[in-house]
């Protein structure tokens, strides 16, 4: 038989690709309508994903840059019950700075206390920072609403008492009727068990950042803290900024190893427990959960929108296959294999999907870049920004396009449309040539 | 041995409760190189018979032997290969793939056969030349007349090198001038290639060009005779 010159099936692919591509343009209006529907669906998904990605970035920024940082080190006992004595020695700080490149570190100390003015008093959370280092790790100190940010010694009081400056949260200022220039007395239990108390001057009020600090936060110099608390052998918290955020996990591991080395060289007391390094996801699980959830929601929304848009594709291919019943009958009669016919119909769908993906990606990326990184301005309706998941957002919707999102959205569309094309393609498999040509 | 032999072919169609008998007790032998017309009134079973011979439809009973193979027992995939390599088909109309040029249409069967590109291009051009379409081979079917389209179909059927060409009313959509011209071309190529042709027709002038006329009526062969073909042979 002459089957001897039957070549590999691959040699048929070019002609099938060629016929499939030309077939799309047999009904240009129909194809363009189909492509428009799919491309619009993709544009919507891209915009939605860009909005979510923008929000996620704002959220991560809010969660990390404003106060948390990328990584934090505490001792276990501090994590478990804010044990005042569970400090890390200052020598650790210097060692970490020497040994681990590509990070900025800021030490912090905490205590709770009672704040009083002549009229009122309330419980507060004292946070002590090193402003120079803090500025390298977070933007907390930039978030001034009123006053000027100075944390050093203030002028003595009218009565001639020495005073340090304080920076406080917005809600606290409002509740205690405080403004820059006001005086405040803090009373706490110091590390040696004595009652520490001192007079302070309010230098500045911060914008709402996180609800806790907003309601109860009092910020002072580490020097002032040490004078108040008699606690100068170490710090409670080390906030860390990682210069290359993609190395977050690697840096976290390096830090872990470094701390083990330091503990071996300079052991810590038993009671405070071991040092623990946590990243921002572990520190703000709510935010991390929401990120995961918003990714899922984006996927579900994308799936629904694209599935709806691909109904057009289903209809187009059903019509195309139906119209060409006679043609397919002839092709089968002259020796075309069913699987080649099936492949041809799937290729047509693939081409429609690819053209739609290109159009959708171009259009979607165009719209996103039109709004720019600044995003959609909502300050008209929400002048104070909005509050979501315990974080306060600025009043604009940032749009951000991640290349991976573009790719994923396109792939999702191509997969869904090919699934939608299976039914029409399947009809060609069941065609009987003699009946197809009647 | 005959190229094609049919033994007791019968075909019944079931339409709900009623059974239509399209063919019954067909015995027929066709030798290599014959040029046969299948004639008979509408509904007499011509298409049904050609479809069975071409392996496009299975008979309800009987055997079809083509070139020594009983095609009624072949599986779908083998049957498809059998059509691809042994048979040529020409249908009444819309034979061609609309998005391919005449040349590409003729090449298509040979692509499926897996012939090398150069070989099939050369053969396609040669056969288009033989049917007088060398000037228009890059046109798509929509830019060709009905007669030209049928001639492309003839070139496509023959270029693939089949043993037997089956043509179901190839001239039904043509005026009588084009119809007889197509028949002349088919006959000339059949002679030249020694290819066997079976074609069905209603047209008196077309059947006059056959060398053998098989007449069907109500699914039975009622007449089978060899005749003197009337052809206007053109000098090749
Ligand atoms: N798929 C089918 N289902 C039911 N009946 C059928 C089918 N195909 C053919 N028939 C019947 O079989 C008989 C023969 O039909 P066939 O098409 O072979 O005739 P024909 O000679 O080709 O007619 P025409 O000259 O009109 O093309 C007719 O009575 C027809 O109605
Ligand atoms: Mg018929």
């Amino acid at each position: 038989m002459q089957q001897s010159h039957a070549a590999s099936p691959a040699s048929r692919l070019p002609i099938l690709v060629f016929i499939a591509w030309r077939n799309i343009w047999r009904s240009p209006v129909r194809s363009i309508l189909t492509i428009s529907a799919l491309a619009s669906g993709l544009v919507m998904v891209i915009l939605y994903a860009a909005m979510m990605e923008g929000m996620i970035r704002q959220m991560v920024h809010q969660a990390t840059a404003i106060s948390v940082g990328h990584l934090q080190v505490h001792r276990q006992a501090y994590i478990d019950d804010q044990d005042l004595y569970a400090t890390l020695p200052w020598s650790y700080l210097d060692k970490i700075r020497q040994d681990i490149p590509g990070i900025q570190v800021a030490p912090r100390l905490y205590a709770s206390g009672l704040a009083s003015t002549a009229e009122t008093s309330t419980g507060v959370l004292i946070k002590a920072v090193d402003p120079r280092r803090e500025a390298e790790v977070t933007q907390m100190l930039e978030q001034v609403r009123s006053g000027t940010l100075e944390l050093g010694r203030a002028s003595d009081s009218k009565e001639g008492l020495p005073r340090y400056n304080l920076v406080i949260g917005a809600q606290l200022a409002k509740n205690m009727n405080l403004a820059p220039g006001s005086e405040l007395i803090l009373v706490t239990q110091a590390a040696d068990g004595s009652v520490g108390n001192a007079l302070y001057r309010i230098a500045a009020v911060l914008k709402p950042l996180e609800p806790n600090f907003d309601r109860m936060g009092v910020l002072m110099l580490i020097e002032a803290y040490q004078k108040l608390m008699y606690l100068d052998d170490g710090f409670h918290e080390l906030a860390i900024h990682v210069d290359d955020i993609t190395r977050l996990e690697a840096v976290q591991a390096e830090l872990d190893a470094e701390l083990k080395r330091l503990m071996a060289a300079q052991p810590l007391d038993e009671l405070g427990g071991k040092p623990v390094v946590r990243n921002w996801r572990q520190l703000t699980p709510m935010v991390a959960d929401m990120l995961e959830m918003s990714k899922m929601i984006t996927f579900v929304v994308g799936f629904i929108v694209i599935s709806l848009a691909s109904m057009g594709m289903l209809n187009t291919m059903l019509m195309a296959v139906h119209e060409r019943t006679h043609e397919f009958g002839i092709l089968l009669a002259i020796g075309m294999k069913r699987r080649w016919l099936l492949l041809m119909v799937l290729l047509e769908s693939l081409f429609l999907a690819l053209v739609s993906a290109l159009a959708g990606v171009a259009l979607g990326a165009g719209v996103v870049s039109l709004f720019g990184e600044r995003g959609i301005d909502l300050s008209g309706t929400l002048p104070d920004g909005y509050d979501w998941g315990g974080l306060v957002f600025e009043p604009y919707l940032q749009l951000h396009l991640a290349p991976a999102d573009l790719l994923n959205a396109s792939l999702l569309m191509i997969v869904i449309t090919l699934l939608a094309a299976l039914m029409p393609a399947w009809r060609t498999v069941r065609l009987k040539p003699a009946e197809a040509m009647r | 041995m005959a190229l094609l032999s049919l033994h007791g072919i019968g075909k019944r169609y079931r339409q709900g409760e009623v059974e239509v008998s399209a063919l019954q007790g067909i015995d027929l032998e066709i030798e290599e190189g014959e040029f046969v017309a299948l004639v008979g009134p509408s509904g007499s079973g011509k298409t049904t018979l050609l479809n069975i011979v071409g392996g496009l439809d299975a008979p309800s009973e009987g055997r079809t032997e083509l070139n020594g193979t009983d095609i009624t027992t072949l599986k779908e995939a083998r049957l498809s290969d059998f059509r691809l390599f042994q048979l040529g088909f020409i249908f009444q109309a819309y034979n061609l793939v609309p998005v391919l040029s005449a040349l590409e249409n003729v090449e298509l069967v040979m692509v499926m056969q897996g012939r090398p590109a150069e070989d099939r291009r050369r053969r396609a051009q040669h056969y288009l030349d033989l049917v007088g379409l060398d000037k228009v081979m890059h046109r798509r079917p929509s830019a060709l007349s009905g007669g030209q389209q049928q001639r492309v179909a003839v070139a496509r059927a023959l270029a693939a090198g089949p043993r037997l060409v089956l043509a179901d009313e190839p001239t039904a959509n043509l005026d009588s001038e084009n119809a007889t011209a197509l028949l002349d071309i088919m006959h000339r190529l059949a002679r030249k290639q020694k290819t066997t042709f079976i074609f069905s027709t209603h047209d008196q002038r077309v059947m006059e060009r056959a060398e053998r006329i098989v007449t069907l009526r109500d699914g039975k062969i009622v007449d089978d005779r060899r005749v003197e073909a009337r052809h206007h042979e053109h000098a090749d």
Side-chain angles (χ1 to χ4, degrees):
Chain A
M1 279 224 290
Q2 289 159 357
Q3 264 109 325
S4 55
H5 50 165
S8 74
S11 64
R12 279 88 180 197
L13 191 61
I15 188 92
L16 294 179
V17 167
F18 184 71
I19 297 177
W21 175 256
R22 288 227 181 135
N23 271 335
I24 294 179
W25 306 110
R26 255 159 100 165
S27 325
V29 174
R30 192 169 68 195
S31 291
I32 285 170
L33 282 176
T34 309
I35 289 167
S36 309
L38 283 174
S40 319
L42 189 59
V43 167
M44 280 197 268
V45 172
I46 287 172
L47 285 185
Y48 186 79
M51 216 170 76
M52 290 308 269
E53 182 71 23
M55 264 167 93
I56 286 170
R57 287 184 160 239
Q58 270 178 292
M59 223 152 99
V60 171
H61 174 80
Q62 211 79 9
T64 59
I66 300 299
S67 71
V68 176
H70 296 140
L71 294 169
Q72 287 187 0
V73 186
H74 304 90
R75 291 184 65 186
Q76 190 61 51
Y78 190 82
I79 295 170
D80 293 343
D81 30 54
Q82 280 81 53
D83 180 353
L84 188 67
Y85 304 101
T87 56
L88 289 154
W90 289 107
S91 59
Y92 276 37
L93 174 66
D94 299 327
K95 275 288 189 197
I96 288 172
R97 284 186 51 233
Q98 276 170 25
D99 294 347
I100 301 186
I103 61 170
Q104 316 299 326
V105 299
R108 296 163 178 177
L109 284 143
Y110 292 95
S112 51
L114 190 73
S116 314
T117 63
E119 292 92 39
T120 173
S121 63
T122 187
V124 293
L125 188 72
I126 298 166
K127 177 170 183 169
V129 298
D130 172 343
R132 193 175 53 79
R133 292 205 186 288
E134 193 63 42
E136 289 172 351
V137 175
T138 69
Q139 296 162 12
M140 182 166 58
L141 301 180
E142 293 166 21
Q143 314 295 318
V144 176
R145 170 178 271 183
S146 59
T148 49
L149 192 111
E150 35 186 335
L151 277 174
R153 282 295 273 268
S155 53
D156 289 351
S157 72
K158 286 193 262 1
E159 299 83 22
L161 292 166
R163 301 185 304 179
Y164 272 94
N165 278 314
L166 283 185
V167 170
I168 63 174
Q171 194 61 43
L172 181 65
K174 196 169 160 222
N175 291 349
M176 293 189 75
N177 200 17
L178 293 168
S182 312
E183 270 192 342
L184 185 73
I185 294 168
L186 288 179
V187 181
T188 76
Q189 176 150 36
D192 62 359
S194 68
V195 172
N197 70 74
L199 186 65
Y200 298 88
R201 172 182 171 272
I202 308 297
V205 177
L206 291 190
K207 290 181 203 164
L209 301 172
E210 49 170 309
N212 258 345
F213 186 87
D214 200 28
R215 262 186 309 116
M216 322 205 293
V218 165
L219 206 63
M220 65 173 64
L221 270 193
I222 288 177
E223 179 192 321
Y225 180 96
Q226 288 170 338
K227 288 221 156 74
L228 178 69
M229 298 298 296
Y230 296 104
L231 183 68
D232 42 19
D233 53 351
F235 53 92
H236 293 130
E237 175 173 292
L238 192 64
I240 295 163
H241 173 88
V242 180
D243 293 347
D244 176 5
I245 188 65
T246 59
R247 294 197 58 244
L248 182 70
E249 269 78 26
V251 172
Q252 186 172 5
E254 275 177 50
L255 258 172
D256 252 333
E258 169 76 359
L259 285 162
K260 288 212 173 69
R261 273 201 302 279
L262 289 174
M263 277 219 302
Q266 186 190 342
L268 300 170
D269 62 287
E270 285 288 310
L271 283 172
K274 290 198 174 90
V276 179
V277 189
R278 289 177 298 170
N279 60 38
W280 66 267
R281 283 195 195 88
Q282 297 163 317
L283 290 162
T284 51
M286 273 264 289
V287 173
D289 284 355
M290 252 177 333
L291 290 191
E292 285 308 309
M293 212 165 80
S294 78
K295 274 183 191 152
M296 252 199 26
I297 293 173
T298 307
F299 178 79
V300 170
V301 166
F303 189 84
I304 292 171
V305 169
I306 290 173
S307 295
L308 287 177
S310 72
M311 289 296 111
M313 171 76 138
L314 177 65
N315 184 49
T316 296
M317 289 313 295
L318 279 175
M319 275 166 77
V321 167
H322 181 73
E323 279 170 5
R324 291 190 341 242
T325 306
H326 178 82
E327 189 180 322
F328 288 165
I330 286 186
L331 287 172
L332 285 173
I334 65 175
M336 175 81 89
K337 300 279 176 289
R338 279 168 205 284
R339 56 178 187 277
W340 299 343
L341 215 51
L342 181 91
L343 182 61
M344 191 171 88
V345 173
L346 286 179
L347 280 172
E348 283 177 40
S349 312
L350 179 67
F351 287 143
L352 282 174
L354 283 177
V355 173
S356 309
L358 284 179
V361 163
L363 223 70
V367 170
V368 170
S369 68
L370 210 71
F371 282 106
E373 280 291 285
R374 184 69 199 166
I376 301 164
D377 195 348
L378 298 177
S379 55
T381 41
L382 293 166
D384 278 336
Y386 56 101
D387 182 328
W388 196 46
L391 293 169
V392 182
F393 286 84
E394 290 181 60
Y396 59 86
L397 268 183
Q398 200 182 329
L399 297 181
H400 185 91
L401 256 189
D405 285 350
L406 277 184
L407 193 72
N408 288 339
S410 305
L411 283 181
L412 182 69
M413 189 187 78
I414 290 166
V415 168
I416 291 177
T417 48
L418 280 184
L419 284 178
L422 278 182
M423 197 223 281
W426 188 245
R427 298 213 160 165
T428 65
V429 172
R430 293 181 326 184
L431 270 185
K432 295 214 169 71
E435 281 168 25
M437 284 182 295
R438 284 191 79 79
Chain B
M1 195 184 64
L3 174 69
L4 171 71
S5 47
L6 305 181
H7 305 282
I9 292 290
K11 177 73 183 179
R12 288 179 299 279
Y13 289 108
R14 178 173 284 287
Q15 278 187 322
E17 294 297 287
V18 250
E19 223 178 35
V20 185
S21 176
L23 291 175
Q24 36 186 310
I26 301 282
D27 294 307
L28 183 66
E29 296 221 324
I30 288 172
E31 301 297 330
E32 178 118 45
E34 282 196 277
F35 197 68
V36 185
L38 199 56
V39 305
S42 183
S44 58
K46 304 183 293 295
T47 298
T48 306
L49 186 57
L50 284 172
N51 282 346
I52 288 170
V53 171
L56 301 176
D57 208 350
S60 310
E61 67 221 1
R63 275 185 305 124
T64 313
E65 264 176 43
L66 217 155
N67 201 18
T69 309
D70 181 357
I71 66 164
T72 38
T73 61
L74 289 184
K75 291 253 159 39
E76 151 97 28
R78 289 290 319 277
L79 205 52
S80 172
D81 265 341
F82 195 82
R83 288 198 298 266
L84 181 57
F85 289 95
Q86 309 278 330
L87 297 177
F89 288 89
I90 303 163
F91 299 98
Q92 189 171 326
Y94 308 110
N95 269 288
L96 307 176
V97 178
V99 297
L100 297 179
S101 71
L103 183 66
E104 290 158 352
N105 262 289
V106 175
E107 278 192 56
L108 181 60
V109 183
M110 292 186 281
V111 172
M112 296 191 289
Q113 287 180 333
R115 276 183 200 260
E118 263 166 53
D119 178 32
R120 62 178 192 244
R121 174 63 42 110
R122 198 170 36 75
R123 286 182 73 94
Q125 282 170 343
H126 173 69
Y127 280 91
L128 282 165
D129 198 19
L130 286 180
V131 299
L133 293 177
D134 46 321
K135 298 272 185 322
V136 296
M137 63 185 181
H138 294 294
R139 289 199 200 161
R140 293 213 194 165
S142 57
L144 297 173
S145 72
Q148 287 174 323
Q149 290 182 29
Q150 290 304 80
R151 283 192 268 157
V152 176
V154 170
R156 178 182 69 188
L158 286 167
R163 299 294 294 267
L164 172 64
V165 176
L166 302 171
D168 191 9
E169 307 207 35
T171 60
N173 286 21
L174 304 180
D175 59 39
S176 64
E177 202 172 317
N178 270 308
T180 50
L182 188 76
L183 254 290
D184 287 345
I185 289 172
M186 279 167 52
H187 188 253
R188 187 158 43 87
L189 290 173
R191 288 280 67 80
K192 218 176 136 152
Q193 312 278 314
K194 310 211 174 1
T195 309
T196 314
F197 268 76
I198 308 175
F199 58 95
S200 69
T201 184
H202 284 295
D203 187 335
Q204 190 60 42
R205 302 225 297 170
V206 167
M207 74 186 88
E208 280 172 4
R209 277 163 165 75
E211 294 167 350
R212 178 178 170 190
I213 300 178
V214 176
T215 309
L216 282 176
R217 183 163 295 127
D218 297 329
K220 294 189 194 107
I221 295 176
V222 293
D223 189 34
D224 180 357
R225 60 200 154 100
R226 279 163 216 286
V227 291
E228 196 60 41
R230 287 194 4 199
H231 274 275
H232 310 270
E233 294 293 351
H234 310 271
D236 287 313

